[in-house]
Amino acid sequence: MRSMRVGAIAGIATVGLALAACSGGTGGEGGSADQTVFRVAFNQDIDHPQAQALLEVSDALEEATDGAYRFELFTDETLGDQAATIEQVQSGTLDFAIVAGSLLENFEPDFSVVNLPYLYESPEHQMTVLNDPEIMGDLYETVVDDSIQVLTAYHGGVRNVYTTEGPIETPEDLAGLKIRVIGSDTNVLMMELMGGVGTPMAQGEVYTAIQSGVLDGAENNELIYSTLSHDEIAGYYSYTQHLMMPDYLIASPTVWDGLDDETRGILEDLLADSVDTELELFATAVDEAVAAAEEAGAQFSDADVDAFREAVLPIHEERVTSDLTQSIYDAIDAARG
């Protein structure tokens, strides 16, 4: 039986209770008085591969520590969107959160180097470099002073464009179309170079915005496209394959530093193993999502990937501007198969 309890109560009441509680507190529903329960925020549903991977981590953590620690997962933006959960981690009212990699650019612009379009040759390549402390340690260290501890990078899928207007084959097909992107200067510029109008917006607002015509579409992986029912309102999914953006499990440095060495070592090992688990689960979930979306009437089509790659290459030169970003960029390139 999984030990991670899923927070299912949405709305202001739940947020208030969570923030009023002591972060990393003892006890809790299903927990003993001497058990520490870490609260984890996640903006997708419980079936998402990252949530499932963390469920396994929680079970293994509880077993390895004789019941001293477990996670409590709050899914579906129960505790707010990702930007809000970062703030809660920083303030110490939340222990862990999974957040999109581009959001960390708001604290350290050099994070843009690992969020560049057409940077990775495969999910395995991406996970190898982003979880290598020799490559990424200095970059991750830059946000510790912002009260953000990066623990693990997870694969967040290959992002493609989907619209209400019809298939997208070339950058010209995106001209004038308002496409939702995650909020960062890099993503907005990327969509501009791809031919569209990058429009930052929280994930929970996208469905209504497309449905009402505020947006003409969005860009995301097949899993999000299907599970959030965007296939119902934007039925044309085009394989631009433009971005493989990581998601990060972040923690409050106070919480992380407060663990004893043995427990921290156990959790580090479990999180490292969970990266491979999440990759396997993600591949399976994507296949199922495509089948479900096609059954719902969505049309999947190929795009001219070379044309889009050429269009966005200037962003690589613009974002790789420091010794740190250059060293990371070179290391990513050297790690190609």
Side-chain angles (χ1 to χ4, degrees):
M1 178 180 297
R2 290 191 174 102
S3 61
M4 184 184 293
R5 183 173 66 83
V6 180
I9 305 173
I12 296 175
T14 301
V15 175
L17 288 171
L19 296 181
C22 178
S23 182
T26 59
E29 184 175 332
S32 62
D34 57 352
Q35 183 181 65
T36 298
V37 180
F38 293 123
R39 295 170 177 83
V40 186
F42 186 45
N43 72 329
Q44 307 298 336
D45 65 29
I46 191 60
D47 293 322
H48 191 282
Q50 291 170 2
Q52 291 296 306
L54 286 181
L55 288 171
E56 293 190 15
V57 169
S58 181
D59 283 348
L61 177 64
E62 189 167 21
E63 180 178 356
T65 61
D66 295 323
Y69 296 95
R70 69 177 174 90
F71 290 165
E72 182 175 16
L73 184 62
F74 293 85
T75 61
D76 300 300
E77 291 192 341
T78 303
L79 300 183
D81 62 24
Q82 291 185 336
T85 60
I86 291 175
E87 292 179 359
Q88 292 172 47
V89 167
Q90 290 177 296
S91 68
T93 57
L94 181 64
D95 304 305
F96 299 93
I98 293 182
V99 300
S102 63
L103 294 179
L104 296 189
E105 293 178 33
N106 297 321
F107 303 94
E108 173 50 63
D110 281 351
F111 266 87
S112 63
V113 69
V114 293
N115 301 327
L116 295 172
Y118 300 107
L119 183 64
Y120 309 103
E121 66 177 9
S122 69
E124 291 75 18
H125 173 222
Q126 181 194 40
M127 289 298 93
T128 296
V129 296
L130 294 187
N131 286 301
D132 185 340
E134 291 296 320
I135 297 174
M136 298 298 298
D138 288 344
L139 181 62
Y140 292 160
E141 186 68 24
T142 62
V143 291
V144 171
D145 287 343
D146 294 299
S147 297
I148 298 170
Q149 183 92 38
V150 177
L151 301 183
T152 306
Y154 286 120
H155 177 61
V158 180
R159 299 174 80 93
N160 304 281
V161 171
Y162 51 93
T163 74
T164 61
E165 299 298 313
I168 300 298
E169 183 176 351
T170 68
E172 289 73 21
D173 295 330
L174 277 173
L177 298 186
K178 292 171 290 185
I179 305 298
R180 181 266 178 175
V181 296
I182 297 176
S184 81
D185 291 342
T186 301
N187 284 342
V188 172
L189 177 58
M190 174 196 70
M191 186 52 59
E192 178 183 331
L193 293 172
M194 289 176 66
V197 180
T199 307
M201 185 177 294
Q203 185 68 272
E205 301 172 9
V206 176
Y207 185 98
T208 300
I210 295 176
Q211 187 179 46
S212 65
V214 172
L215 291 174
D216 298 302
E219 52 86 43
N220 217 314
N221 62 69
E222 303 95 330
L223 183 55
I224 301 303
Y225 178 62
S226 175
T227 58
L228 296 186
S229 300
H230 292 179
D231 52 354
E232 298 176 351
I233 53 175
Y236 300 94
Y237 191 98
S238 303
Y239 280 108
T240 52
Q241 302 178 45
H242 58 274
L243 192 59
M244 206 180 293
M245 185 185 299
D247 293 318
Y248 294 114
L249 178 67
I250 64 170
S252 162
T254 301
V255 170
W256 187 246
D257 293 341
L259 295 175
D260 62 84
D261 290 343
E262 180 180 4
T263 301
R264 192 160 50 236
I266 290 171
L267 189 49
E268 285 175 341
D269 290 342
L270 292 175
L271 290 175
D273 290 342
S274 75
V275 173
D276 291 333
T277 298
E278 193 262 353
L279 271 178
E280 295 173 5
L281 293 172
F282 211 106
T284 299
V286 165
D287 290 341
E288 294 173 350
V290 170
E294 288 179 332
E295 186 175 346
Q299 298 180 30
F300 290 80
S301 62
D302 292 329
D304 187 343
V305 173
D306 289 338
F308 281 105
R309 181 184 291 110
E310 183 177 354
V312 301
L313 279 181
I315 202 174
H316 284 228
E317 183 176 351
E318 180 172 330
R319 289 296 188 263
V320 181
T321 57
S322 67
D323 291 342
L324 177 57
T325 55
Q326 188 66 60
S327 67
I328 293 171
Y329 187 83
D330 291 343
I332 291 173
D333 187 55
R336 297 182 188 278

